[in-house]
Amino acid sequence: GGKSSKTFVDSWMYTEVLRCYRKRGKASKAYVLYEKALDRRPKLRLDSHFYAEAMLALSKGSRDEAAKAELVWNHLLRRSNHELLSKYALTAFLCCCAKSGDWKRALRAFHSDFFLFQSTGSAARERRKLPDVVACTALMKALKVGGQWKKGEELLQWMYDNGINPNPYTYGELFVLLGECNKWELVMSHYYELT
């Protein structure tokens, strides 16, 4: 007779299945798997990529499915430390905010939540993690969905002030945002600055 052996499923395996669901656009299945993994969390060491993949998978679904990423993000914040709250996880959540149309929540995640667990001393401020250009572009996309052209301009200035160089995708999102808000003179002004 054969013995039944139970295969050990670790955090990495869950993350890879979430990635497969994301690539196939299966947001609802990804969320079910996310909840299943949470039930096993005491035994699993869930990492930043696990949370990010869950949120990215939700961003490929409907607006309502993307809105569920708020639950994932809030769970990440509740158990977070500086290793879990990564730029990758922030970008994933901002993508969900763009999909769900929640630009206010995106701004709060970008400017408040991400820095919440970082130290506030002067030496820590010098070492603090800043969102990268990919996260900034995801935020620009959320602002575009909300028609927040002034906030988009402020984000561009914030990037320059913090040494983050916008890339063509960042400018593309800003140009569409400004164009949709009939701010063509600003589009052309940025264009001439770049050329």
Side-chain angles (χ1 to χ4, degrees):
K3 286 185 174 179
S4 174
S5 66
K6 204 170 191 178
T7 305
F8 177 70
V9 177
D10 66 2
S11 174
W12 177 82
M13 295 169 108
Y14 278 111
T15 302
E16 290 305 310
V17 174
L18 286 169
R19 183 173 288 125
C20 290
Y21 283 145
R22 171 176 57 95
K23 290 181 177 184
R24 296 182 66 214
K26 303 288 185 184
S28 59
K29 288 187 177 192
Y31 192 73
V32 169
L33 182 65
Y34 164 79
E35 288 184 320
K36 182 179 179 181
L38 285 185
D39 288 342
R40 293 184 172 187
R41 187 181 67 114
K43 297 177 186 175
L44 291 175
R45 297 182 70 184
L46 302 175
D47 63 6
S48 178
H49 280 84
F50 167 80
Y51 290 98
E53 283 299 332
M55 290 185 285
L56 286 171
L58 291 169
S59 77
K60 301 298 180 187
S62 67
R63 281 180 73 128
D64 290 339
E65 287 168 327
K68 284 184 181 177
E70 174 104 24
L71 300 172
V72 178
W73 179 252
N74 287 337
H75 183 256
L76 176 62
L77 291 176
R78 278 194 308 275
R79 67 176 296 254
S80 192
N81 56 46
H82 65 279
E83 287 89 23
L84 279 180
L85 200 56
S86 68
K87 295 175 187 180
Y88 186 51
L90 172 65
T91 300
F93 182 60
L94 295 173
C95 288
C96 289
C97 290
K99 177 74 175 207
S100 68
D102 194 351
W103 64 269
K104 289 180 182 178
R105 185 64 185 101
L107 275 175
R108 192 166 70 242
F110 187 88
H111 288 296
S112 299
D113 295 351
F114 189 68
F115 299 108
L116 193 62
F117 295 98
Q118 297 183 43
S119 298
T120 57
S122 61
R125 270 195 299 275
E126 292 174 19
R127 292 189 319 267
R128 75 179 187 167
K129 293 187 294 185
L130 288 174
D132 59 12
V133 67
V134 179
C136 292
T137 303
L139 177 57
M140 190 70 75
K141 189 177 213 173
L143 296 173
K144 180 184 75 175
V145 171
Q148 298 298 309
W149 69 269
K150 287 181 183 176
K151 299 280 186 203
E153 288 282 304
E154 290 170 7
L155 174 60
L156 184 68
Q157 187 59 53
W158 183 89
M159 291 174 72
Y160 282 124
D161 292 347
N162 286 282
I164 302 168
N165 292 323
N167 64 22
Y169 298 104
T170 312
Y171 277 108
E173 293 294 338
L174 177 63
F175 288 0
V176 172
L177 165 59
L178 293 171
E180 288 176 354
C181 294
N182 293 317
K183 299 298 178 187
W184 296 107
E185 65 284 350
L186 290 173
V187 172
M188 296 311 296
S189 174
H190 288 300
Y191 173 76
Y192 290 129
E193 287 174 11
L194 294 171
T195 56

